[in-house]
Amino acid sequence: MSQRQGVDLSYEDGARAVELARESVESYVRHGQREHPGSMRDAFYERTGAFVRLESTRGRGSLRGCAGGYRSGDQLGHVIVDAAIQAASDDSCGSEVTPSELPNLTVSVCTVKNVILTDDPLADLELGIHGVSVDGGGKSGWLYPTLPVEHNWTAEEYLERTCRKAKLAPDAWEDDDVIVTLFEGQVFREREADGSIEQLSR
């Protein structure tokens, strides 16, 4: 098992990360433009991975887009911008976010702190601490560290759902040719669309 230390954000850094993700989504959706991070907070110059999730608040709510990765050689500020744009595009959940949807979207960001390569994910996985990424057969998928706690999943269910997201068999995480990576991440999200920001994971 190996680890790589990433960035540790303050609440203010995390709140700005979510704001930057929202600004990037809105700039892309309304104008087709890539937001520039501008004068970035010090932490945003660190080179680490990040993920962005967009969720609809309409009706029962649903995932509207997600993108990002635990590996990146780019500065965090730029990773957040690119992940936000990809999450809003039709490459994410099948259809591009439209301007009329923006008032009904909540934005969350997960920034990566540690990356852990594991040969025994069931033993090494700590629910509420680790996000999961699986890679195999040219397919990949990942899930936030907060999801199993929110949905009361077991570690095995969490691994199976990550495999399904990657369009792999639910038990693919047990295959020798499938790579399972755990990542520690800090999760910050809007409590409501364009609203106050809370930290879910340290």
Side-chain angles (χ1 to χ4, degrees):
M1 194 165 73
S2 61
Q3 297 193 180
R4 177 178 61 79
Q5 186 70 36
V7 64
D8 198 358
L9 299 189
S10 66
Y11 171 80
E12 290 74 18
D13 290 334
R16 176 58 191 142
V18 175
E19 290 168 359
L20 177 59
R22 173 168 283 279
E23 290 165 4
S24 301
V25 169
E26 293 186 348
S27 179
Y28 173 75
V29 171
R30 294 188 193 281
H31 310 294
Q33 297 177 345
R34 183 187 188 279
E35 181 76 6
H36 191 276
S39 180
M40 298 193 294
R41 302 180 71 88
D42 288 348
F44 289 12
Y45 288 100
E46 295 288 338
R47 297 182 187 276
T48 190
F51 304 87
V52 173
R53 279 171 58 93
L54 309 176
E55 295 177 88
S56 174
T57 60
R58 287 177 174 166
R60 295 169 60 186
S62 62
L63 179 65
R64 195 59 190 85
C66 57
Y70 61 85
R71 296 190 199 97
S72 180
D74 292 334
Q75 293 172 339
L76 177 60
H78 293 282
V79 173
I80 291 169
V81 171
D82 291 339
I85 290 171
Q86 191 177 348
S89 76
D90 57 8
D91 292 334
S92 180
C93 284
S95 63
E96 196 166 283
V97 171
T98 63
S100 64
E101 292 180 84
L102 293 174
N104 299 294
L105 287 181
T106 57
V107 178
S108 67
V109 174
C110 175
T111 58
V112 174
K113 290 203 295 185
N114 290 310
V115 176
I116 302 162
L117 302 177
T118 174
D119 293 326
D120 192 351
L122 202 57
D124 294 334
L125 174 57
E126 293 183 62
L127 295 177
I129 300 294
H130 293 136
V132 174
S133 176
V134 294
D135 297 89
K139 300 175 181 178
S140 63
W142 55 267
L143 289 175
Y144 263 26
T146 50
L147 289 176
V149 176
E150 291 173 9
H151 298 286
N152 200 29
W153 296 339
T154 65
E156 194 161 351
E157 286 174 323
Y158 187 25
L159 290 164
E160 288 174 352
R161 287 175 181 271
T162 310
C163 289
R164 286 196 188 101
K165 186 175 180 188
K167 296 182 171 57
L168 296 169
D171 61 354
W173 60 272
E174 299 181 77
D175 296 346
D176 290 340
D177 57 350
V178 171
I179 298 171
V180 179
T181 307
L182 309 179
F183 59 89
E184 292 181 37
Q186 291 176 277
V187 179
F188 300 85
R189 76 172 180 195
E190 295 172 333
R191 288 188 173 92
E192 55 191 27
D194 203 13
S196 62
I197 294 164
E198 60 183 339
Q199 183 171 355
L200 298 182
S201 176
R202 298 180 184 280

